[in-house]
Amino acid sequence: MPELPEVETLRRDLLIHLPGERVAGVEVLRSDSVGYPADPAVFSAQMTGQVFSDRMLRRGKYLLLYFEQGAAMGVHLRMSGRLLWRRAEAPLEPHTRVRIPMASGHELRFEDMRVFGRLWLIPVGVPPERVMGGLARLGPEPFAEMFDGRYLAGRFAGRNQPVKSALLDQQLVAGVGNIYADEALFSSGIHPALPVGGLDAAALERLHRAVVKVLEAGIAQRGATLRNYTDAQGINGNYAGTAWVYGRKGQPCRVCHSLIERIRLAGRSTHFCPTCQCAQQSVQ
């Protein structure tokens, strides 16, 4: 699933291409790719004629692309979604679900192989949280001032959940997923299976700094392409090639040369270095 760095890369790409573009029409090729309005014909009619503004926001893994008239298009890519900027005459990608042609001759396409992603049209004056229910449940942004070691201590106190599983909770912090959770835990020297309630203050400060650091690195590398993710031009991200542990089972650690291990925690594949992230470290 695209995580914060991938969605932020996409936001920055769209900010280059979309402002000032007028929607000439909308073709919904798969109705369940539209979350609101429920009727794809209404979605298409209300989108047509809208002009994209330069107000394009990211909240966790969600995008909010505002129009000059005040409405907005919400986007969640989920597992395999992509937003692609194409010339209208370019061949369609095989899993294109929604086409949004522009008056300029360009086209914004929503492609989604697994059909978990969604587009929403948020009417003028309606809070996005009322249309996109997941927004209301998100925790703070990782780059927000309130997200620090003390915040983590308060949220983790008395809990036995593995720290890797806790980091994937979008109500704890918005935008961190499987890739960057593994990377942050390696960077902070914390074993992913350790219970969060047993982490000391120093470990929590390291973890906070590591989450911010790996997300910034992911943005700088324009995201990580493992399966489906690309930027708005269809180009792969570069982070996966420099990852410390994620996707590197059986390969030598870039620090100590121990072999990277993979386990499953709460059903999610989890990568770590057994030496750099010894389970006896960072506990009270």
Side-chain angles (χ1 to χ4, degrees):
M1 177 184 291
E3 303 178 27
L4 185 155
E6 290 74 42
V7 179
E8 177 62 20
T9 298
L10 180 59
R11 185 193 72 84
R12 295 180 185 189
D13 283 358
L14 295 176
L15 193 55
I16 295 171
H17 299 292
L18 280 183
E21 292 282 351
R22 181 180 299 274
V23 177
V26 177
E27 183 180 5
V28 177
L29 303 174
R30 176 98 182 209
S31 61
D32 50 357
S33 291
V34 175
Y36 185 88
D39 184 345
V42 176
F43 175 85
S44 301
Q46 294 182 355
M47 285 275 290
T48 300
Q50 300 276 1
V51 178
F52 282 98
S53 74
D54 61 0
R55 187 184 181 204
M56 299 188 178
L57 309 179
R58 180 197 51 74
R59 181 73 174 96
K61 303 174 188 178
Y62 291 85
L63 281 176
L64 290 167
L65 310 177
Y66 281 85
F67 299 107
E68 290 182 354
Q69 299 91 328
M73 185 174 76
V75 182
H76 198 308
L77 303 176
R78 299 247 162 78
M79 294 295 292
S80 61
R82 299 196 298 167
L83 273 181
L84 298 169
W85 184 246
R86 296 286 193 244
R87 292 291 304 177
E89 65 270 16
L92 278 185
E93 289 75 17
H95 304 290
T96 301
R97 307 306 183 189
V98 180
R99 301 177 67 182
I100 307 176
M102 306 297 167
S104 67
H106 288 88
E107 186 170 294
L108 188 64
R109 296 176 182 172
F110 182 57
E111 190 206 20
D112 188 9
M113 180 177 68
R114 301 186 67 179
V115 203
F116 293 139
R118 292 292 181 272
L119 303 181
W120 299 265
L121 180 61
I122 303 161
V124 177
V126 176
E129 294 82 3
R130 285 181 53 187
V131 176
M132 305 161 67
L135 282 176
R137 298 187 290 271
L138 292 179
E141 289 287 313
F143 306 123
E145 186 175 347
M146 71 168 293
F147 180 69
D148 58 15
R150 288 176 296 178
Y151 168 81
L152 291 174
R155 293 296 303 268
F156 288 167
R159 295 173 59 184
N160 291 319
Q161 184 181 26
V163 61
K164 165 66 183 291
S165 302
L167 285 177
L168 298 180
D169 181 358
Q170 298 302 294
Q171 297 182 60
L172 171 75
V173 57
V176 178
N178 211 36
I179 298 171
Y180 298 98
D182 281 2
E183 295 291 282
L185 289 168
F186 174 82
S187 181
S188 57
I190 297 172
H191 192 284
L194 284 174
V196 291
L199 298 176
D200 61 23
L204 293 175
E205 288 294 343
R206 292 200 312 273
L207 180 58
H208 157 251
R209 292 193 298 269
V211 167
V212 172
K213 182 177 74 172
V214 300
L215 292 175
E216 288 178 339
I219 293 169
Q221 295 284 347
R222 298 184 58 77
T225 297
L226 297 169
R227 293 183 181 87
N228 304 103
Y229 166 75
T230 66
D231 64 17
Q233 302 293 333
I235 300 171
N236 291 349
N238 299 315
Y239 185 84
T242 61
W244 293 97
V245 290
Y246 189 86
R248 300 189 65 243
K249 176 188 176 183
Q251 298 180 43
C253 173
R254 300 187 193 277
V255 174
C256 74
H257 306 295
S258 297
L259 297 185
I260 300 300
E261 296 184 7
R262 183 178 68 192
I263 58 174
R264 294 190 74 80
L265 286 173
R268 303 300 297 273
S269 178
T270 299
H271 303 78
F272 67 99
C273 172
T275 301
C276 295
Q277 296 168 263
C278 176
Q280 301 304 313
Q281 297 174 4
S282 306
V283 294
Q284 293 178 336

